[in-house]
Amino acid sequence: MNRGALRAAARREWGPLFTTVRTALVSKKWRAVPLTLGSVALTACFQIVQNQSWGLRPVHDIGFVRAMDPLWLALLRTPLSLFVPALDLPVWGALVQILLVFGMAEICIGWWRTLLISYVTTLAGTLYARAAISFGPHNVFGVKASDALIVDTGPSAAVVGLAVFVCWRLGARWTTGAVIVGMIIEVVAKDNLAGKEHLAAILAALALCALAAWQDRRLQRGGPPSRPGSLVRAGSGAPPMNSSSRRRGPAQRLS
């Protein structure tokens, strides 16, 4: 494949996504991503606090989630657990993930949809962990009982789910597939709870993609305007749809 063909393929795959993000950043600069900046700041704050001699217990009480905890407590802690960095991983990784993927999502689908998908996919991973432990280590979907003690925090499930949803909605289908294949390879290479939670987050994101596609078809058939709770809303900052992009499913109704 020559350079021209590669450039054309890259434009087809990432053109709508790149144009949407670049236009927003040029016109609004950092005002385009207030949720993302707040999320980065909150994650950094939790990292600083939990590494203080007095700070680990308060962070534990409001943001640590484990499968052994009562379900009501896990659900109560899940929103903030998304912003609590894992103790055994470098915090810069979480901060970069949030800055890039949350920022891309906030621009392309809006801040509240970004937050909604983040929580839905994180919750999918949290609930899956409980089911996986009940399945046991000899089930392909299960994990060992000791994984119930693992502190399950951080933005990784939300990042994976957002990446799948946004890339699919902006027509980057090969990138969507690459993310999914990468997570499958992670589970095969390192069969652990985190990897399987990422697959649960992907399934939740794909379900939301299907819901958004259904809303698209409803709008195309002349259905009523999307309600405030809809994943699709007409009139985003994405590039206008033409005949070729219509087949690829762009996101002019995303944010």
Side-chain angles (χ1 to χ4, degrees):
M1 184 179 294
N2 58 39
R3 291 184 179 179
L6 285 173
R7 285 196 293 268
R11 282 195 297 269
R12 287 193 300 270
E13 180 72 8
W14 299 304
L17 179 61
F18 176 80
T19 302
T20 302
V21 172
R22 182 179 182 278
T23 300
L25 291 178
V26 169
S27 60
K28 296 182 179 180
K29 296 183 172 57
W30 295 111
R31 290 181 290 110
V33 287
L35 171 67
T36 300
L37 296 179
S39 299
V40 169
L42 183 58
T43 302
C45 181
F46 272 129
Q47 173 68 8
I48 294 170
V49 171
Q50 73 179 358
N51 281 284
Q52 306 302 312
S53 58
W54 51 268
L56 184 60
R57 187 66 195 181
V59 175
H60 172 281
D61 290 342
I62 64 174
F64 276 25
V65 174
R66 295 174 298 181
M68 65 174 289
D69 296 330
L71 180 59
W72 68 267
L73 184 60
L75 294 177
L76 190 64
R77 290 175 174 176
T78 292
L80 283 179
S81 74
L82 198 159
F83 304 106
V84 177
L87 291 171
D88 58 339
L89 296 174
V91 68
W92 63 264
L95 296 178
V96 170
Q97 288 177 6
I98 293 173
L99 185 63
L100 294 180
V101 179
F102 273 56
M104 175 184 70
E106 185 173 4
I107 289 170
C108 293
I109 62 175
W111 70 267
W112 78 262
R113 291 176 182 83
T114 298
L115 203 57
L116 173 66
I117 293 168
S118 298
Y119 285 143
V120 168
T121 52
T122 299
L123 185 60
T126 297
L127 295 178
Y128 169 78
R130 294 171 176 270
I133 289 166
S134 68
F135 294 155
H138 302 296
N139 188 300
V140 66
F141 300 109
V143 295
K144 55 187 182 294
S146 60
D147 284 352
L149 301 173
I150 293 176
V151 177
D152 186 16
T153 61
S156 60
V159 164
V160 170
L162 282 171
V164 167
F165 185 88
V166 173
C167 288
W168 180 266
R169 294 295 294 161
L170 270 292
R173 302 299 166 79
W174 286 101
T175 305
T176 304
V179 172
I180 295 172
V181 170
M183 294 301 101
I184 294 174
I185 292 173
E186 176 192 14
V187 171
V188 172
K190 189 177 181 181
D191 187 10
N192 59 12
L193 178 61
K196 291 182 176 180
E197 284 186 340
H198 292 163
L199 294 184
I202 286 173
L203 290 176
L206 291 176
L208 293 175
C209 288
L211 175 60
W214 174 80
Q215 291 174 340
D216 278 343
R217 292 193 296 270
R218 186 180 181 189
L219 290 173
Q220 290 169 1
R221 290 196 301 265
S226 55
R227 298 180 297 276
S230 172
L231 283 172
V232 180
R233 187 183 72 195
S236 78
M241 183 169 69
N242 54 36
S243 59
S244 62
S245 63
R246 182 179 291 111
R247 291 191 297 271
R248 297 175 60 247
Q252 96 266 23
R253 296 189 181 100
L254 293 180
S255 59

